[in-house]
Amino acid sequence: MTSSAHGPDRPVPPRGAQPRRGAGRADAVVRCVSPGSGAAAMLTAAPLPDRPGARLSGDCDLDSRQVLASALGIVTRIPGPVVHLDLSAVVFLDAAAVAALVHASATFTAQGRRLLIHDPPYSLRKVVEMFPDECAALEVAA
């Protein structure tokens, strides 16, 4: 979905996502806000300062699914042969979030590139243990 307010190729942010004020395209931070509450977010995505990629913070569940999809959409457009996804500050990933990571990783593979996941939380490791074939596309840094 596109909008003229965001330019012809830039996605409309999901409902509840708020970019950091004054942020440029390469310095965008996306936060999920509970609708109507104005309360702070369940999930935050920010660019990595030292390499191509992003760092997610918070929970990846039903409440933050749209923000995760938006963040992964942006991550798949980061140039380079290897893009890093730091999950060290992610507390929880539900099965749908893991499926979104698998889909993003498959997108990278189809482009001849790699999505390298760093410091996955326990919940991701448990889903991979339960569904090893389905999660085979995920590449976790040693």
Side-chain angles (χ1 to χ4, degrees), residues 26-115:
D27 190 31
V29 174
V30 178
R31 287 180 170 73
C32 175
V33 177
S34 301
S37 71
M42 302 265 182
L43 180 66
T44 301
L48 293 173
D50 58 343
R51 57 191 168 192
R55 180 175 194 252
L56 300 181
S57 301
D59 291 328
C60 299
D61 55 21
L62 179 63
D63 294 332
S64 60
R65 193 161 292 156
Q66 288 180 329
V67 174
L68 177 62
S70 179
L72 291 175
I74 292 168
V75 167
T76 59
R77 292 190 304 270
I78 295 173
V82 179
V83 175
H84 303 268
L85 188 60
D86 180 354
L87 301 180
S88 62
V90 171
V91 177
F92 174 77
L93 287 135
D94 68 7
V98 175
L101 288 174
V102 168
H103 178 73
S105 184
T107 299
F108 274 87
T109 301
Q111 296 170 350
R113 303 181 320 134
R114 295 169 49 209
L115 177 64

